[in-house]
Structures are given as structure tokens and as C-alpha cells.
Amino acid sequence: MVRFSNNLIGLLNLLTLLLSIPVIVGGVWLSKQGSTECERWLEKPVIALGVFLLLVSIAGLVGACCRVSWLLWLYLLVMFLLIVLLFVFTIFAFVVTNKGAGKVVSNKGYKEYRLGDYSNWLQKRVNNTKTWNRIKSCLQGGDLCYDFHHQFLNYTVLQFSKQELSALQSGCCKPAEDCQFIYNNSTNWTKGTAAYNNTDCDAWSNDPNILCFNCQSCKAGLLQNLKTDWKKVAVVNIIVLVFLIIVYSIGCCAFRNNRSENWKY
Ligand SMILES: *[C@@H]1O[C@H](CO)[C@@H](O)[C@H](O)[C@H]1NC(C)=O
């Protein structure tokens, strides 16, 4: 039992050490590959995660196998902080993404999204001009509305209204329902005579580079997307958290062993 926990910690850290190498390589690959704004924001966190994993694994590996108590202590401290951080982050993200949902539009297959329905914290993030411009250029550069345009190219207004749309397509690629614009095709609409009091209606343009990318509904679509993605991240987080707590407990055993063995010498 005495050696077992040390060996197990050593083995687990060898695994994470091996795992950190592809993560770092992947991050560097991303930085070489990514030409658009959208891919580039990912590379730094990925490389940082890889390096962090590498350092922590080395500390755990050397600490457990070579019985270096202070390294193992440092390892346990970092693990503890990681568990607390991950726990707090998971709770925080749950609270922040809890609010908000798409609104059903009568007689339409798609839903529409309003920024005001989402949490204030998230609203503040996307209302920051610098942040939004970055996200916007990323959405404009992608295939989001291009695909949308081509998919529904020959659809009549009736056929179009039956479609289910993703939150981002509903928010960014078409004008809001209450603008009552006249449909030419999915990304080309003519202003009607009906009065509207939605600022998004003035933000709409048939220019494929503008569309509704300046609309509040586009920001809301993004937040809705975030909300959906978050559910998947939360599951992963909880699994990682359980794994970390198990490793931490074994690490504590190894640490006790180190100390008691040092006593004997
Ligand atoms: C939108 O449709 C109108 C009428 O069919 C057409 O005259 C106009 O050029 C189109 N605009 C764009 C940007 O495709």
C-alpha cells in the first residue's frame, strides 16, 4: 500500500505528461494554421494548457517517484487550486448561462432571440464594442450566412418560414419578424411600410457582409449557442473534476508516504 499510491501517482502523471505533448503540438499547429481571427483566439489558451499540464506532470512524477516531498507538496497545492477553480468556474457558468431562450414565432419553424433575455453579465461581454467586433469579423468570415443563403436560395417565403434555423442563423442572417420586411430571398429583404420599434430593423442590410451582424439578435444568437455548448462543457468539467479529486486523494496518500519514509531515514 505504501508504494502503491506513489507508483499510481507516478503512472497517472506519466500519462498526463504524454498527453501534454500532443496538446502543445496541437496549439503550435493551430497558430501556424489559423489565418482567421476565429481560430487564433484558441491557440494561446491551448498552448498554455499544454505547458501547464507538462509542468504539473513533471512535478507530480518526480515528486512521487523520486520522493521529493516539496515537489509533491507543490503538486498537491496546484491540484487543489485547480479543483477549486474548476468547481467555481462550473458553478459560475451554470448561473450565467441559465437565463435566456429562443422565442417561438407564430407560424414559423424557427425561433428568434432577444439579447435582453440573457444574463446581464453575458450581455455586458457581447456589448463591449471591441469584443463584438472580433466575434463579428469571425462570423462574417465564416460560412454561417453564406451557407444559409445557398441552402434556401430557391425557397418561397412559405417554404422558408417552415425551416428550423440555428440560433446564429436566425439572429445574424435574417431580419427580425417584427420588422415585417418583404421576402426576396433568405438574405435579401425589402423594407415594408409597416412601422417598427426594433432597432435591429435599421441595422439590417442586404449587403452579404452586413446582413444582421450589427443586430442585437445576432449577439443573442451567439449567447444561445454558448448556452447550448456550455451544457456539453459542463459534463466534461464534472468528469474532469471527479478524476482530479481521485488523483488528488491518491496524491495525498503518496505525500504522507514520502513524509513517513523520510522519517525512517
Ligand atoms: C435584392 O433583391 C432585389 C430585388 O429582387 C434586387 O434588385 C437586389 O439587387 C438584390 N440585392 C442584393 C444585394 O442581392
Side-chain angles (χ1 to χ4, degrees):
M1 188 58 209
V2 176
R3 303 244 151 192
F4 178 69
S5 55
N6 281 55
N7 291 344
L8 196 56
I9 278 293
L11 186 71
L12 283 170
N13 280 291
L14 190 64
L15 281 179
T16 47
L17 182 71
L18 292 177
L19 184 74
S20 72
I21 294 164
V23 172
I24 295 174
V25 170
V28 173
W29 181 81
L30 267 181
S31 69
K32 295 254 184 296
Q33 205 70 14
S35 49
T36 62
E37 192 79 37
C38 329
E39 292 149 71
R40 234 176 286 146
W41 71 272
L42 248 180
E43 89 209 17
K44 278 195 196 107
V46 170
I47 295 176
L49 177 75
V51 171
F52 177 76
L53 216 56
L54 184 77
L55 293 179
V56 172
S57 308
I58 291 175
L61 191 63
V62 174
C65 295
C66 308
R67 324 230 144 198
V68 187
S69 279
W70 70 267
L71 254 186
L72 204 56
W73 184 84
L74 191 70
Y75 169 76
L76 287 177
L77 181 71
V78 170
M79 284 287 276
F80 179 74
L81 292 179
L82 203 63
I83 289 171
V84 172
L85 211 72
L86 199 61
F87 185 72
V88 170
F89 172 72
T90 307
I91 301 276
F92 173 74
F94 252 122
V95 170
V96 148
T97 57
N98 195 31
K99 263 179 87 180
K103 286 228 160 45
V104 178
V105 187
S106 60
N107 298 322
K108 305 283 165 173
Y110 48 78
K111 291 178 177 171
E112 289 196 338
Y113 302 84
R114 279 172 210 279
L115 189 58
D117 294 343
Y118 293 84
S119 79
N120 288 332
W121 192 84
L122 285 177
Q123 283 186 44
K124 265 198 200 124
R125 302 283 88 65
V126 288
N127 274 331
N128 178 305
T129 315
K130 232 175 110 191
T131 311
W132 182 247
N133 283 342
R134 273 228 310 275
I135 299 171
K136 192 171 74 176
S137 74
C138 173
L139 292 173
Q140 285 166 325
D143 293 333
L144 179 72
C145 295
Y146 179 82
D147 285 351
F148 171 84
H149 172 73
H150 282 274
Q151 192 181 348
F152 306 121
L153 196 56
N154 297 317
Y155 280 44
T156 64
V157 65
L158 192 67
Q159 286 171 318
F160 177 73
S161 70
K162 298 267 157 56
Q163 300 308 309
E164 267 184 47
L165 302 176
S166 73
L168 274 173
Q169 287 182 331
S170 170
C172 308
C173 307
K174 65 160 196 55
E177 193 60 27
D178 53 10
C179 300
Q180 299 188 12
F181 287 175
I182 298 147
Y183 175 96
N184 299 320
N185 68 49
S186 62
T187 56
N188 184 329
W189 300 72
T190 310
K191 257 182 197 159
T193 48
Y196 49 76
N197 58 0
N198 183 345
T199 52
D200 281 357
C201 303
D202 291 321
W204 172 263
S205 162
N206 284 339
D207 179 342
N209 284 318
I210 301 176
L211 300 177
C212 220
F213 286 120
N214 295 318
C215 294
Q216 299 297 92
S217 60
C218 190
K219 296 174 181 174
L222 182 88
L223 295 187
Q224 179 60 34
N225 228 21
L226 202 72
K227 202 179 141 113
T228 317
D229 286 345
W230 167 248
K231 298 236 166 76
K232 293 170 208 153
V233 176
V235 173
V236 175
N237 265 5
I238 289 167
I239 294 171
V240 170
L241 209 52
V242 170
F243 176 76
L244 283 182
I245 290 171
I246 293 172
V247 173
Y248 180 76
S249 314
I250 302 168
C252 281
C253 267
F255 182 63
R256 265 213 312 272
N257 294 344
N258 270 11
R259 305 241 322 204
S260 55
E261 295 229 335
N262 287 348
W263 257 115
K264 280 187 223 144
Y265 290 128

